[in-house]
Each structure stands twice: as structure tokens, then as C-alpha cells.
Amino acid sequence: MQIEAALDQARRLIKEGAAIIDVGGESTRPAAEEVTVQQELDRVIPLIEKIAKETSIIISIDTSKPQVMYEAISAGAKMINDVRSLQTENALAISASLQLPVCIMHMQGQPKTMQLQPSYNNIVTDIYNFFQQRIEQCIAAGIKKKDIIIDPGFGFGKTVEHNLTLLRRLDYFKQLACPILAGLSRKSMIKQLLNLPVDKRLNASLALATIATMNGADIIRTHDVAETREACQIAAYVRDF
Ligand code: 7PM
């Protein structure tokens, strides 16, 4: 996407009521090729600068690369979203030095191959144990517990059954005492369950976001902010009544 189109998209998300905008320069879709640091920087830095100049929205930098984290924060980002959970060399140390919220997402394998043969002993406890260890390692590196957000990583090295189980049992992760982020919007589990193309997945995405909220999600990652806010506000009223 070119910079003006990306900026328009950011403006639309803000107008619809987004609390956070996630900006990324690496595709993490299944089978995606890797990109270089310079490619990522060229894609995200000018955009972050422009969004930060225009608004005070929280910008999250979606990257696994420590140099991109550092430069994005210098450009105005205020949060890190890492689908590799800060496991890249130096990512943990750089994040700790930045002292900002970080979303650590669970992924089995790498984007290129993660959907080939996902396998767990127990999808819920395996991922729970992963977070328990990872939170400990983050804290040991100097990241504050209050800055850690956890995300089970729907679709990242998971079958549709794994995704359904995680969604049903999302409340189990509350014991870790970190905010829970869930990204389900337009994901391929909807194709697998209802056989809908990506531009027809809004209703199903709202159902998934509603269930995630009922089951304890604190932050929802979505393409359709206005609709998702309404659905999740209702779910939160029912949940917290
Ligand atoms: C194709 C397939 C395009 C999948 C894009 C995607 C998450 C994320 C993504 C998530 C966090 C998408 C995904 N998903 N970061 N990045 N959690 N923290 O649907 O679920 O945007 S990429």
C-alpha cells in the first residue's frame, strides 16, 4: 500500500473509534516471504511519522526486528506488537530498554510453514505454559509486568479445531494477569467453517470478536472498527453486568 492510501486507512480507523493503530511492514500471512530491515523501515517509518504528527492515537509497531522497533518508537510509535514474541536476537533487550507496552503473540513455527502441520499435546496448556515462561523471561530482561499483553495468535500454527478450543477457553489465560489481545478479524478459520471469501467475513468476524470479549479479551485487533466496537461493547456489558 502506498503512503497516502495507508494514511487514509489510518484516518478511517481513527474516525471509527480505534484506540490503537497497528502499523507493520512485514506480511505475516501464511507462506509469506521474509523482508529485509530496510524494506520494513521504508514501509513503516514515514507512515508512523505522519500518523503521529496528525493525531495522538497510540501507534503500535508490528515487527519482530529490534532495529525496526527502535526506529519506529523514535518516529512516534508507543507500543510493540511482535508475532514472534520477542524471540528474535536482541528483541527482548531493545524492548526492555524502550519501556513501553508489548504484545507477545504465540506462534508455532514460522509464517512460511506454520500451517503445514500444527501439533500440540494440549493446545490450551501448551500455550499457557509458553506464556508463563515468556512472561518470566520478559520480566527478567527488564520489561514491566504491567506492560505485557498476551495474544494466543489465532491462525498462527493452529488448525481450525485449535482456534475454536482457544476461543472457548480464552478465560483460562486470565490467570496470567495480563491483558489479552485477540485477532480474529477476517481470518481463514471463517473460510474453513463457512467458506466465505475475505470480503464477506464481517458478520462472522463480529461473532468471533463478541465471543472473545465474552471470554475475557481486553483488546480486539480488527479491520472493521466501528462494527466491532459496537459488538464488543454489548458483549462487555453482558460480561460485566
Ligand atoms: C493474512 C493472514 C493477512 C493473516 C494477515 C493476517 C495478528 C497479528 C496478524 C494477531 C497480533 C491478520 C493476520 N494477526 N498480530 N498480526 N495478533 N498480535 O489477520 O492475531 O492481520 S496478521
Side-chain angles (χ1 to χ4, degrees):
M1 203 180 332
Q2 294 310 303
I3 181 110
E4 273 311 314
L7 196 56
D8 280 348
Q9 169 78 344
R11 290 186 185 117
R12 187 180 66 78
L13 296 171
I14 293 165
K15 200 172 71 190
E16 290 189 20
I20 302 167
I21 292 201
D22 196 31
V23 175
E26 175 201 20
S27 175
T28 43
R29 76 181 60 239
E33 292 297 329
E34 289 179 19
V35 298
T36 65
V37 171
Q38 196 54 50
Q39 272 175 312
E40 262 195 61
L41 289 172
D42 292 345
R43 288 174 183 178
V44 301
I45 301 300
L47 180 61
I48 291 169
E49 284 173 350
K50 287 199 169 67
I51 299 171
K53 202 170 148 192
E54 224 175 272
T55 76
S56 58
I57 191 132
I58 298 168
I59 302 166
S60 149
I61 174 63
D62 186 344
T63 190
S64 298
K65 298 186 175 70
Q67 193 186 338
V68 178
M69 291 172 187
Y70 182 85
E71 297 201 22
I73 301 303
S74 307
K78 297 240 150 41
M79 173 175 161
I80 294 165
N81 173 31
D82 185 2
V83 301
R84 293 181 186 78
S85 216
L86 306 176
Q87 293 177 101
T88 306
E89 170 111 34
N90 288 327
L92 202 53
I94 294 282
S95 307
S97 74
L98 295 169
Q99 292 289 308
L100 289 168
V102 295
C103 176
I104 51 173
M105 196 198 78
H106 177 272
M107 168 163 63
Q108 183 175 81
Q110 287 295 313
K112 232 180 148 156
T113 51
M114 66 189 178
Q115 289 308 100
L116 295 182
Q117 214 173 71
S119 152
Y120 299 85
N121 288 319
N122 177 312
I123 179 74
V124 176
T125 55
D126 283 9
I127 293 183
Y128 186 90
N129 292 337
F130 166 82
F131 281 130
Q132 214 167 26
Q133 284 192 1
R134 209 62 206 132
I135 291 167
E136 232 174 72
Q137 289 157 344
C138 286
I139 291 170
I143 297 174
K144 295 200 169 61
K145 174 86 193 264
K146 69 160 183 64
D147 284 333
I148 303 174
I149 299 160
I150 56 173
D151 178 349
F154 290 101
F156 285 83
K158 283 141 195 128
T159 63
V160 67
E161 291 81 9
H162 292 143
N163 291 323
L164 291 171
T165 306
L166 282 172
L167 184 56
R168 279 179 75 94
R169 305 293 313 283
L170 202 61
D171 66 313
Y172 186 83
F173 296 91
K174 284 295 197 189
Q175 297 170 73
L176 292 165
C178 291
I180 299 172
L181 186 153
L184 292 148
S185 181
R186 302 183 188 174
K187 281 199 174 166
S188 72
M189 67 183 284
I190 299 168
K191 169 154 185 72
Q192 292 166 285
L193 294 167
L194 303 183
N195 197 27
L196 293 169
V198 69
D199 62 329
K200 295 269 160 35
R201 295 183 192 165
L202 174 60
N203 298 341
S205 297
L206 294 175
L208 294 170
T210 302
I211 297 162
T213 302
M214 277 299 287
N215 291 350
D218 300 284
I219 303 169
I220 302 290
R221 189 176 183 277
T222 181
H223 304 85
D224 303 288
V225 174
E227 295 88 342
T228 304
R229 275 182 63 95
E230 290 180 358
C232 295
Q233 277 175 357
I234 292 294
Y237 275 119
V238 173
R239 180 189 69 191
D240 301 333
F241 180 66

